Amino acid sequence: RFDHVGMFLRFQDNSLALLECTSVTGVAMYLWEDFEKREWYKQYVKMVYRHLTFDRDSGPHLENLESFIKSNMGKKYKFTLSKIVRSQPSQIGGEPNSYFCSELIAKAYKIIGILPLDKPSTKYWPGSFSSEKVLPLQNGAELGEEMLVDFGLHQDSTGHSMSFEHG
């Protein structure tokens, strides 16, 4: 059902960004306003959003995530058979030289302590993050229901035309 996964990040100044890994850009993060202005959403047939709830105050999770993102920005996209058949997870400190989309997001979830470390990040697929699957979230983390992102419903006070509908 899904062939790509990314992660929305909300910053202290309330700006929104999208973290993803594609074959064109590798690991990249885009401000949502740029994503929308450049109409990059047109390359997707459908986009859904699931709100992630977890305890952001217990431990250095957000600092670890920030460090993880900074150290992996620009790394290449790579989807290979050897990654798929890997049976042992890479160590948290041992970052791969490349990622595919769901591997990146699974690794980010591990960094913030909400996915178990014993399963390789390469074993997660875009569909693993859908509401049709049971993602083994831990430490009280939850993913909300799927919300369809519709870029044409209305414009908000900032001029953005993004809105959400239950999907």
Side-chain angles (χ1 to χ4, degrees):
R1 195 175 105 148
F2 294 105
D3 63 2
H4 185 63
V5 66
M7 184 176 186
F8 284 117
L9 302 164
R10 174 81 60 193
F11 297 110
Q12 286 181 337
D13 67 359
N14 214 29
S15 61
L16 186 65
L18 175 63
L19 173 68
E20 66 177 349
C21 185
T22 69
S23 60
V24 174
T25 63
V27 177
M29 186 166 48
Y30 307 101
L31 286 176
W32 185 253
E33 63 186 49
D34 293 335
F35 185 86
E36 191 174 31
K37 265 188 234 169
R38 294 186 173 127
E39 298 182 335
W40 288 334
Y41 57 84
K42 288 185 175 180
Q43 63 188 321
Y44 301 102
V45 173
K46 176 178 167 181
M47 183 182 279
V48 297
Y49 162 81
R50 295 185 74 194
H51 181 77
L52 174 64
T53 304
F54 72 101
D55 186 1
R56 289 164 168 78
D57 299 323
S58 67
H61 301 306
L62 297 181
E63 292 86 1
N64 292 346
L65 180 61
E66 182 179 2
S67 177
F68 169 75
I69 292 169
K70 285 180 180 177
S71 67
N72 287 287
M73 290 297 288
K75 286 194 176 176
K76 295 187 183 299
Y77 173 93
K78 193 171 188 182
F79 184 77
T80 63
L81 182 59
S82 64
K83 280 187 169 212
I84 296 168
V85 298
R86 182 180 298 150
S87 61
Q88 297 297 316
S90 61
Q91 298 300 316
I92 284 292
E95 304 302 336
N97 293 325
S98 62
Y99 288 94
F100 56 90
C101 65
S102 50
E103 176 188 16
L104 176 73
I105 304 309
K107 187 75 170 203
Y109 277 27
K110 289 178 178 186
I111 294 292
I112 59 176
I114 63 170
L115 265 186
L117 300 177
D118 59 345
K119 181 177 177 180
S121 298
T122 56
K123 298 292 184 186
Y124 293 93
W125 298 87
S128 302
F129 297 87
S130 80
S131 60
E132 294 176 353
K133 302 288 183 176
V134 178
L135 197 61
L137 296 176
Q138 57 188 19
N139 297 323
E142 294 180 354
L143 277 171
E145 65 182 291
E146 291 177 3
M147 307 277 283
L148 177 66
V149 179
D150 187 329
F151 293 91
L153 286 179
H154 77 279
Q155 287 194 342
D156 63 18
S157 60
T158 63
H160 293 120
S161 59
M162 179 187 75
S163 61
F164 298 104
E165 290 183 350
H166 296 280

